Amino acid sequence: MSHEKLALELADFWFPAIANETWGQRLRILDEIHGQLYQDLETAGEYEQVSASFVAALINRLGSPPITDPAQAQIYAGSAEEQHWGAAIAWQFGEGQEADEATSEQKERRRWPREAVNLRTEMWIQGRPAHCRLMDVSRSGARVMPLRYQPRPPPGTAIRVIVPNGGARDGVVVFSSPRGVGLQFANAAA
């Protein structure tokens, strides 16, 4: 069976279970489904293809409503369709912009300006690889959105992330929210 066909069959099967739930409840259900998919599929590549197509199909069946909730943005960020994850990124930098990451006073104290980006890259959380989207980056840190549904790493967790034109950067989680994972790089001068 093709990955696309499997994703569509999964969407047909699971849609009735999520259709009348809140975005937070949908995210919890999807976390469980994705955990099982990750175990059932043979490779991480297969998992990512099926997972992203499955999420896209579910969002489409829901009518692709505009994003109004952090859990909804997290679900959209895992979609295979550019308009979905693009909407999640736009929401991150619009209404949901870093509200629980830092107060405006803390933002003003940042030493290095942040650059908004939208790049798929890789990270390692405690040595385990995972694909993510690099949402913003500065000389001293970055914000990433995991593409695979997984528990958010708590502050203090060591992470390595591939930063385009910056190579692999080691950092530590300083915040973790539905809007992404904020990292402070170990060596800001690099």
Side-chain angles (χ1 to χ4, degrees):
M1 175 182 303
S2 76
H3 295 129
E4 191 63 33
K5 184 173 181 182
L6 175 57
L8 293 174
E9 285 185 11
L10 286 168
D12 287 339
F13 181 82
W14 285 105
F15 178 73
I18 70 157
N20 296 318
E21 301 293 342
T22 67
W23 287 106
Q25 292 165 326
R26 289 172 180 161
L27 182 58
R28 283 189 290 281
I29 292 167
L30 287 173
D31 282 344
E32 291 180 30
I33 295 167
H34 286 285
Q36 188 62 50
L37 271 177
Y38 191 72
Q39 291 177 3
D40 291 346
L41 295 172
E42 291 185 26
T43 68
E46 285 179 301
Y47 165 78
E48 288 181 14
Q49 280 186 303
V50 171
S51 169
S53 295
F54 166 57
V55 169
L58 284 175
I59 293 169
N60 289 334
R61 282 169 176 73
L62 290 167
S64 300
I67 298 175
T68 59
D69 181 274
Q72 182 184 8
Q74 190 172 350
I75 291 169
Y76 275 52
S79 173
E81 293 187 17
E82 183 176 355
Q83 68 265 24
H84 296 155
W85 54 258
I89 290 168
W91 187 82
Q92 301 286 333
F93 290 104
E95 277 188 44
Q97 185 175 10
E98 301 182 35
D100 54 358
E101 297 166 22
T103 65
S104 59
E105 180 181 308
Q106 288 171 317
K107 288 180 196 176
E108 291 171 12
R109 291 190 312 210
R110 288 187 176 137
R111 270 209 241 166
W112 309 108
R114 289 182 179 251
E115 178 185 350
V117 294
N118 174 20
L119 300 170
R120 188 176 170 128
T121 189
E122 291 184 88
M123 66 179 177
W124 291 263
I125 302 172
Q126 298 176 332
R128 292 188 321 262
H131 289 282
C132 65
R133 258 191 214 293
L134 186 62
M135 307 292 286
D136 64 48
V137 65
S138 74
R139 190 171 176 182
S140 62
R143 182 165 54 111
V144 297
M145 176 73 74
L147 293 183
R148 180 172 83 84
Y149 292 92
Q150 59 190 20
R152 290 188 295 273
T157 303
I159 290 186
R160 174 173 280 182
V161 64
I162 300 295
V163 177
N165 301 324
R169 299 292 304 273
D170 291 319
V172 64
V173 174
V174 292
F175 71 82
S176 190
S177 77
R179 293 183 175 93
V181 177
L183 309 175
Q184 179 177 0
F185 292 139
N187 183 357

